[in-house]
Amino acid sequence: MATVTEPVAPAKRPRPRIHQTQCFIGGQWVPAQSGKTFDTLDPASEEVIASVAEGDAADVDLAAKAARQQFETGEWSKMDARDRGRLIYKLADLIEEEADELAALESLDNGKPIRDSKAADLPLTIDCLRYYAGYADKIHGQTIPVRGNYFTYTRKEPVGVVGQIIPWNFPMLMVAWKWGPALAAGCTIVMKPAEQTPLTCLRMARLAQKAGIPDGVINVVPGYGPTAGAAIVKHPDIDKIAFTGSGETAQMIMRDAAPTLKRITFELGGKSPNVVFDDANIDAAIAGAHFGLYFNQGQCCCAGSRLFVQEKIYDKFIDRLSGMNKTRKLGDPLDPATEQGPQVDQAQFDKIMRYIDLGNKEGAKCLTGGKRHGTRGFYVEPTLFVDVKDNMAIATDEIFGPVMSVLKFKELDEIAARANNTTYGLAAAVWTRDIAKAHYLASKIKAGTVWINCYDVFDAAAPFGGYKMSGMGRELGEEGLKAYTETKTVTVALG
Ligand code: ADP
């Protein structure tokens, strides 16, 4: 079984300070109008970290008004694009200055190992903001030759006040993916962080204010989905919704957004195929398969949770994979040696355990893990199911936990159809030394991202998003920016 380091009680370990717990509206830190609060928990100890303002429709309305004022007539609406970019750079610098503290806060609230917060969440957050800071003064339209004596050009204008609703698996990074392009384009923001992980988003709002981003440009309303989240989606004075989360919530958002016909971008779930051919670099493929699923406790929308391994190498491959699971170090997220922390909350823990139970009942073979780890905190052992069939629930449903399903395949011909036999289409990976095979499969798999001989390689410049029920539109890169602009065509009679 996995190496065990029992989580220590939070009182005994150094904890990051909690500064912000209220709504951030129009530059003010204010309690929810209702006076309500909710608790955010440390998933490693199950103890309360802090009580946070529980915003709802009344608070969202104030936030939307503050955002509208800045968008229409505020300092932001008059600011030169290059100066907007300068403020985003400044925000990235301030985050970099506080990187250690922010990483600790993220690990405390989410449960992710501090080594991951430091190596992935923080640098990617900073990089994303800098990428879009550089875009702020490079957003421009075209001059277009039309018939007749006219001069026609397009303007790329900010879409307006945007509602941004984010999940708990990469709280800070999701803030950067949302704020970066919105601010670069000149939009103003009403954001709702996930109820499980509101703390780093609130801290980033404070840093945005410190950076000089005018009050009212960024507003944060912590709270629950059906109240604060739905209020953002229904608000008549919010122009666009950018949402990352589950498909079920996305369906509700689509319905709630219909009366006001808001622009929508979605980044949703996945059941990503990770295909290993027998001619692959096996060491790299094993490391990639392990990382592609177990990273972030399996709580990645693009997790490589369907691992297809070619027949000839199957036995050796799963033997080595299970070996890696057995030495994986579970423990206190704030311990730099920890490789795997707890799941984010009880609900996720319960869902994962239900799927493990289902996998056993359906006849898959559980080679490692399958149980709760320890007695406190939402820890799940790194779990490996082999002999999985394509139609088993553990091979079709998104589990969002450290549960890998390994499937066997024989031929190249069969694999594209099997990889595509899913309602999802977020990501995929192919491991082979045969360049033709790699590109052939990359062209056949219906997914927004295909990694060849690597996994989870993200870059602010590379578009990310889903085919099918994994999303609508793309985030990151130039496409991510376009989602925050409207195109206006202007035609002038020259005669
Ligand atoms: P998960 O199941 O991973 O928690 P959700 O889709 O439920 O994913 O949550 C992602 C985000 O969507 C969270 O910020 C959550 O509060 C929010 N949310 C949940 N329900 C709604 C809703 N009906 N309308 C708007 N936002 C919602």
Side-chain angles (χ1 to χ4, degrees), residues 376-430:
R376 190 184 44 191
F378 308 115
Y379 289 86
V380 178
E381 292 175 343
T383 300
L384 182 67
F385 276 106
V386 298
D387 299 338
V388 178
K389 301 283 172 278
D390 291 19
N391 58 357
M392 289 180 181
I394 55 169
T396 58
D397 298 3
E398 184 178 44
I399 302 174
F400 227 64
V403 182
M404 163 106 74
S405 294
V406 192
L407 306 99
K408 202 185 280 188
F409 76 97
K410 272 197 184 117
E411 309 288 349
L412 172 65
D413 291 350
E414 82 194 75
I415 200 64
R418 288 179 68 190
N420 286 332
N421 184 18
T422 169
T423 55
Y424 293 114
L426 192 58
V430 183

Side-chain angles (χ1 to χ4, degrees), residues 112-127 170 172-173 291 295-296 456:
K112 64 176 70 202
I114 187 80
R115 58 157 66 178
D116 292 345
S117 298
K118 283 188 178 177
D121 298 70
L122 260 297
L124 287 169
T125 296
I126 294 162
D127 202 48
F170 292 91
M172 240 187 305
L173 185 57
F291 175 70
F295 172 61
N296 210 39
D456 273 348

